[in-house]
Each structure stands twice: as structure tokens, then as C-alpha cells.
Amino acid sequence: MEERIAKLALADGTVFTGNGFGATGEVYGEVVFNTSMTGYQEILTDPSYFGQIVTMTYPLIGNYGANEVDVESGRVALRGFVVRELCRFPSNHRLDWSLESYLEQNGVIGIEGIDTRALVRRIRIHGAMTGVLSTTDNDDASLVNKAQSSPELAGQDLVREVMPKETEEWSESLDELVQSPVTPGYEGLHETASAPSQGPHVVAIDYGMKWNIPRHLRQLGCRVTVVPGTSTAAEVLAHEPDGVFLSNGPGDPRPLDYAVETIRGLLGEKPIFGICLGHQLLGLALGGEIFKLKFGHRGANQPVLNHSTGQVEITTQNHGFALDPESLDDDIEVTHVNLNDQTVEGIRSRRQGAFGVQYHPEASAGPHDSHYLFGDFRKMLIN
């Protein structure tokens, strides 16, 4: 196969030259890294990566290809994909496409053959930064100038780019749901999945939601209505929910004043559960403050301490911002912390009937240590 030159230029002046795959063209985005060994298709289709160029730290990517099932949204969300070595001849009985053809069909530029260890080390030392990935411009100085003049991710409202435009009822094959693993300790709740219309009604506010989230809620017998991230509190309450779910999503939560206002209008009205961006927005609605992490948490191996049980959960994460614990008032309990850097990973307001976690308990891909949180939320809906 004919190789084509691709270049990744960073805003600090560093340029990496490798081989392009997937689509051709040029994109800019925040360059970040993910430490997962597998699950690249779920990463590609996670709306939380919108606006980013993602580097995989595991050296060989693409060995099992891609398929129609392992997707977390209706499109490939990220702007560029960086790997050390691309497997061009995958083997998998569920294979529909090679990774190369999958990216090409979805208009995403990939680059392989660069020193990803050096790139990740630079990001860890200097922080996530804007970069330009190009198969059309081979001039290093030109690309660096473009990277330096491209807008940073912080301060942008990216939710409007990935959220659904209309309200819809989530539906999926109940046969598939019943065959999926049951969350330990909630086997009885799983029985109601055969008749979700009779179970609690959850309104999920979609800021860029992964599809495995409503799958978990349906598995526990909930009826799920998905509404756009710009929905008001009145619009959410008009659906007469038993509880409200705040989804993950891309970028900086601080510009999302409309989302914070909605959540403030829902606090104390209905039980609330938020994850990732939803957790951050919940924290803002409760009076907390947000800061940007140096290089973020992205991967399926982040250790989190659950304060109430003393147990360590290995979690899937994807975020570049965090809640400042010093900004939280006495009503807000910090329930989980990251054991790598002690950042806030979970909060709860018992008075307001709301809780959130910074990580992804639905995983996909990743460990199942935190599935119990969906069961905890469902119990709040029927009490």
C-alpha cells in the first residue's frame, strides 16, 4: 500500500512526521492521550472527544478492526487519531472494517509511525496543547504557525456540536439487554427490564451521551427519555420524570451557563445523577468551581477510592477538567477521589438528592467496578 506523509505539529513548535491513514486533509484540535490497551472504537465514537486529537499509548492499534455494534454514538467524534503502529490486516469474527477503512469512511485523519512515547511525555511535562494534523501541508513552520493560531479547547461550548436536536425515547432490543451482564447486587431490578414502560421514568439530558448509559438504565427497568443539552428545567419536568440523568460530553463546562441554570432548577425537585461533564455541571450548580487539569485523565485504568466503602475501583475516564474541592460547601460530600492525583472523582448532596462521579461507570470499554452506581440511582427513584 502506498504510504503518504502526515505531520502533527504542536503549538510549542514540536513536529512529528509519520504516515497518514484514514482520511486526507487537515484538522486542528487539543492533543491528548489515552492509556487504554483496547476499546479504540468506543474511544473514536465517544462524543466527549469532540475537538480533540487522540494519541493511543498502547503501541499496536487496529488488530481487531471495527464493527457496527461497538459504537457509542452515531458518528466518529474526535478530529484526529495518532498511533505508533497501525494493524492493516485485522482478525476478528465480528469484523466489518479495518480501522484504516473505518476512519476513511468517517472522514477522520490518522497518523502512524511517530514516537508516541515522546509525544505523550511532552504532553505530560508541558500539558495538553493545540495541534494541527495534516496530510496536505508538509511545511513544518507553516503547521506550527497554524497550531499556534488555532483556538484552544478551553472556553468553547462544544456541547451544541454533539447533542441531539430533538427529544426521543431510548429504545433498543430487549433481547440484547437481557443478555447483557447483570450488575452484582441488583439482579432483582434486572427482571423489570422486560417491561420498562412499567418502571421508573428517567429523563437523560444529553450533552454528548455515550449510548451505553441509556442501555444500563434500560437494563435496570427504567424508561428513558433523552432530551437535548439545552433543555430548560421546565422542559425536563414537563416529562414528569422520576429522576434526571446528566450525561457526559466534550470540553469545558464553564461556558455552559444554560446547563447550570437548568440543573439548579432541578435540584431538590427530582433525584439527579451526573457523570463526567454532567458531574462537573452538577458541581457548578451546587456552587463549586472548575479548573483545567494539566493533561487530564483518559484511559480504562484510573484508580479511584470510594470513601464510604474504602474500596478501590478501577475506572474508565475521559476528561480534562475537575472540581476544586476547596470551593465545595459543607453540604457537599466528596465521595470518591483519584488515587493518582487526589482530584475529586465523586460528590453527593443528600439535602438536594443529587450525586455525580467524574468517571464513566458504564465503561464501554473498560472495567465494571462501578456499575453499582446505576443501581444506587435506580433505588433513589423508587424511594
Side-chain angles (χ1 to χ4, degrees):
M1 182 173 293
E2 182 181 353
E3 294 183 346
R4 61 178 185 268
I5 297 297
K7 288 180 178 286
L8 173 66
L10 304 181
D12 71 351
T14 307
V15 179
F16 295 88
T17 301
N19 302 315
F21 68 97
T24 58
E26 186 173 291
V27 294
Y28 76 89
E30 183 182 57
V31 183
V32 299
F33 64 88
N34 187 296
T35 59
S36 299
M37 298 173 66
T38 60
Y40 54 81
Q41 188 175 1
E42 291 90 338
I43 292 168
L44 290 167
T45 56
D46 180 353
S48 295
Y49 283 110
F50 185 82
Q52 295 180 322
I53 297 170
V54 178
T55 305
M56 300 301 294
T57 62
Y58 191 72
L60 178 64
I61 298 295
N63 55 309
Y64 56 85
N67 61 66
E68 292 183 346
V69 178
D70 295 335
V71 296
E72 286 298 325
S73 69
R75 64 171 176 170
V76 176
L78 48 70
R79 286 182 177 165
F81 201 48
V82 183
V83 302
R84 177 67 183 92
E85 180 181 351
L86 171 70
C87 178
R88 286 188 163 84
F89 302 100
S91 177
N92 182 0
H93 72 281
R94 300 167 70 238
L95 176 72
D96 290 317
W97 311 278
S98 69
L99 176 58
E100 183 173 26
S101 62
Y102 186 67
L103 290 189
E104 183 177 12
Q105 291 175 35
N106 286 277
V108 173
I109 304 170
I111 183 173
E112 68 150 338
I114 72 169
D115 188 344
T116 51
R117 290 184 301 178
L119 173 57
V120 170
R121 180 174 174 80
R122 180 160 291 275
I123 295 171
R124 285 184 61 90
I125 293 173
H126 300 287
M129 66 186 81
T130 304
V132 170
L133 176 58
S134 179
T135 64
T136 57
D137 186 350
N138 289 328
D139 185 275
D140 290 5
S142 169
L143 290 171
V144 169
N145 181 63
K146 291 175 185 177
Q148 293 173 343
S149 59
S150 296
E152 295 184 354
L153 181 143
Q156 296 187 54
D157 178 355
L158 300 181
V159 167
R160 295 179 187 271
E161 303 293 330
V162 298
M163 71 178 191
K165 305 305 179 187
E166 305 291 338
T167 296
E168 63 179 2
E169 295 292 317
W170 177 266
S171 62
E172 192 173 61
S173 168
L174 289 176
D175 290 337
E176 293 177 5
L177 286 170
V178 173
Q179 290 170 10
S180 58
V182 181
T183 305
Y186 297 96
E187 292 82 353
L189 298 178
H190 180 259
E191 295 172 359
T192 61
S194 60
S197 62
Q198 301 174 14
H201 181 204
V202 174
V203 169
I205 305 181
D206 189 341
Y207 306 114
M209 183 167 59
K210 290 174 66 180
W211 285 354
N212 208 39
I213 291 169
R215 291 184 189 122
H216 273 278
L217 294 170
R218 282 290 301 274
Q219 184 193 43
L220 293 180
C222 297
R223 179 165 64 93
V224 182
T225 300
V226 180
V227 302
T230 51
S231 299
T232 66
E235 290 170 339
V236 171
L237 293 173
H239 291 283
E240 300 183 347
D242 296 297
V244 177
F245 181 85
L246 312 175
S247 86
N248 63 293
D252 189 344
R254 293 171 295 189
L256 310 180
D257 293 339
Y258 56 87
V260 175
E261 181 180 354
T262 292
I263 297 168
R264 283 178 178 157
L266 296 170
L267 285 169
E269 298 290 333
K270 301 291 179 181
I272 297 176
F273 176 28
I275 71 163
C276 202
L277 181 67
H279 156 86
Q280 296 166 3
L281 292 170
L282 174 62
L284 288 172
L286 290 167
E289 297 179 0
I290 294 288
F291 68 97
K292 193 176 192 301
L293 295 166
K294 186 174 184 180
F295 50 81
H297 302 151
R298 297 174 182 88
N301 55 356
Q302 292 282 331
V304 168
L305 175 64
N306 182 329
H307 278 313
S308 64
T309 65
Q311 293 182 326
V312 175
E313 303 167 16
I314 304 302
T315 66
T316 295
Q317 300 200 16
N318 170 23
H319 64 103
F321 298 84
L323 273 171
D324 178 2
E326 299 301 321
S327 68
L328 303 175
D329 66 29
D330 293 339
D331 171 60
I332 304 172
E333 173 191 2
V334 175
T335 58
H336 301 74
V337 295
N338 189 296
L339 289 178
N340 288 332
D341 59 12
Q342 302 301 306
T343 51
V344 175
E345 293 282 2
I347 59 171
R348 179 185 298 274
S349 172
R350 296 189 184 278
R351 181 170 60 85
Q352 302 280 18
F355 74 106
V357 291
Q358 182 60 78
Y359 48 94
H360 284 260
E362 86 288 346
S364 188
H368 299 169
D369 297 24
S370 305
H371 281 184
Y372 69 90
L373 291 165
F374 287 97
D376 288 352
F377 178 52
R378 192 192 186 283
K379 284 187 173 181
M380 293 173 65
L381 306 181
I382 57 179
N383 286 342

